Amino acid sequence: MKKLFIHTPIFRFLSPIFSGIVTYLLILLINNNIGQLQEQFLGQELYVCIALAYIVHEFSRFLLWLFKQIPKFLGTTLMLLLHMGVSLVLSAAIITLIFSIYYKYVSGFSPSIEELLTFNSIFCSIPVAYVLLNLSHEYLYKINTKKMKNELLIKENIEEDFKQFKKEINPDLLFESFETMLILIKEDKNEVDDFIDNLATLYRYILASKKNQLIPINEELFIVDELIKLYNHLPYRKIKISVVDAMNFFIVPGSLLFTIEQIIKTTIVSTKVDLEIKLQLEKENYSIVYKKEDKITDSFSEENLKGILKVYSIYSKDPILINEENEERFITIPILNIKN
């Protein structure tokens, strides 16, 4: 938060001089005529007004600090009124005391009630101004903070949308699919229609699933099957997926699809050995199991599932775990159930 200008050294030094001079001029104009102003301007009372202005300014700053330390147990409005009332009463007491001492020991007589009222009415405007300035500063700070949070939220949403867009489009798979389609058009036109259907079904699901927070796993398993068919059309890739146990629960849309795609992308491509992926239940979780054969330049890690980990942390307290045992990798994902 940018510091309020009343706390800066230059303001603390110059402002009391200015306010002391203005106060002295007002007092002279109230008690004397214009002709006497030039004769009495540089009197001793001028320095007393400037000194008193310094005291009132610093005392008002002290009260601002003091009330910031006090919990707002009475609410914002009542605390503001209390702050204003305390500032006026204590400032009036200090002003009355100092002028009474000055008049008694320097001038040799006691000030009249009218004179004290004049001094207090002018000097008490200083703590009032401090309270109002501080209030406006805090109000503007809250508004600007809220706007900044909204801007940061918009920025984060744009970044997330861009990341989601990159994840959904998957340009590598898209261009590989186009290249394969060009080959199929020349070599086997009968397979082109099925290939286009697989590609269209996959991307149609990806774009449409953003509207849902959770979906039944069977819906995603159908799309996973389309993804496997699509990859099996590509050169040097043979993938098999098997569902070991019956599954009836909810998942985050695209999570299973994205995880399996990451497995395929990070596994060494082989023409002789199929990549076998199994889905099985384990109490409150389900696991994706496959034999790990990571690429040298792109091995599988938690970083590959960064987006999925973040989303699942919203829906479940249980984390997504990645374990390895007997050359097999287990990706354990919590089961999500919707309660009535």
Side-chain angles (χ1 to χ4, degrees), residues 99-335:
F99 270 107
S100 297
I101 293 172
Y102 171 76
Y103 269 84
K104 184 176 181 180
Y105 292 100
V106 177
S107 301
F109 61 90
S110 298
S112 65
I113 296 176
E114 291 182 358
E115 288 175 324
L116 289 176
L117 286 175
T118 302
F119 287 128
N120 280 293
S121 61
I122 297 174
F123 275 103
C124 281
S125 63
I126 295 174
V128 172
Y130 269 65
V131 173
L132 295 177
L133 284 171
N134 184 68
L135 176 65
S136 62
H137 181 66
E138 290 183 350
Y139 179 71
L140 287 173
Y141 173 72
K142 289 181 180 179
I143 293 177
N144 291 334
T145 302
K146 186 176 180 181
K147 288 182 177 180
M148 286 297 295
K149 287 181 178 179
N150 289 336
E151 291 294 328
L152 289 174
L153 184 61
I154 292 171
K155 180 183 176 182
E156 289 176 2
N157 288 337
I158 292 172
E159 290 176 351
E160 287 297 323
D161 287 343
F162 182 66
K163 291 177 183 177
Q164 185 71 11
F165 175 76
K166 290 198 299 182
K167 183 178 73 176
E168 290 168 353
I169 296 302
N170 190 351
D172 294 334
L173 176 60
L174 192 62
F175 286 119
E176 281 188 86
S177 300
F178 289 157
E179 291 167 357
T180 302
M181 187 166 57
L182 292 174
I183 295 172
L184 289 175
I185 291 173
K186 296 178 181 179
E187 296 180 355
D188 192 349
K189 294 183 180 180
N190 295 327
E191 291 189 20
V192 174
D193 290 340
D194 293 336
F195 183 80
I196 293 174
D197 287 340
N198 294 333
L199 185 63
T201 302
L202 176 64
Y203 279 95
R204 188 163 54 244
Y205 169 80
I206 291 172
L207 296 173
S209 62
K210 293 195 298 182
K211 300 176 182 178
N212 303 318
Q213 291 184 337
L214 298 174
I215 61 168
I217 189 170
N218 291 325
E219 289 186 19
E220 185 122 340
L221 284 172
F222 174 77
I223 302 301
V224 167
D225 187 56
E226 296 294 319
L227 177 70
I228 300 302
K229 290 177 181 177
L230 189 66
Y231 267 108
N232 285 337
H233 275 104
L234 302 180
Y236 314 114
R237 286 182 174 89
K238 294 300 173 186
I239 305 159
K240 293 181 180 179
I241 187 164
S242 59
V243 181
V244 178
D245 304 294
M247 298 190 177
N248 185 22
F249 51 86
F250 289 84
I251 64 171
V252 176
S255 57
L256 178 60
L257 188 70
F258 180 74
T259 303
I260 290 177
E261 188 177 2
Q262 292 302 307
I263 292 172
I264 297 170
K265 287 170 62 177
T266 56
T267 301
I268 297 174
V269 177
S270 174
T271 56
K272 297 181 180 180
V273 180
D274 294 344
L275 171 58
E276 296 184 2
I277 302 173
K278 294 186 294 183
L279 272 67
Q280 58 190 36
L281 286 176
E282 296 179 2
K283 295 182 179 180
E284 299 299 321
N285 306 292
Y286 75 96
S287 295
I288 304 171
V289 186
Y290 71 101
K291 186 177 180 180
K292 58 171 186 172
E293 291 182 2
D294 292 341
K295 293 179 179 179
I296 298 174
T297 56
D298 189 14
S299 59
F300 189 91
S301 65
E302 284 191 3
E303 188 65 26
N304 294 88
L305 301 180
K306 186 177 180 181
I308 305 299
L309 293 170
K310 183 179 179 181
V311 173
Y312 262 86
S313 65
I314 300 172
Y315 294 98
S316 176
K317 295 180 180 179
D318 299 326
I320 296 176
L321 302 175
I322 301 174
N323 299 311
E324 296 179 2
E325 183 180 343
N326 297 329
E327 296 186 352
E328 285 189 325
R329 181 173 284 126
F330 294 78
I331 304 170
T332 305
I333 303 175
I335 290 174

Side-chain angles (χ1 to χ4, degrees), residues 56-74:
V56 175
H57 273 263
E58 292 302 313
F59 181 70
S60 300
R61 287 185 64 253
F62 170 74
L63 287 179
L64 287 179
W65 173 84
L66 181 63
F67 272 86
K68 282 184 179 179
Q69 311 306 315
I70 300 174
K72 292 182 173 59
F73 55 90
L74 295 177

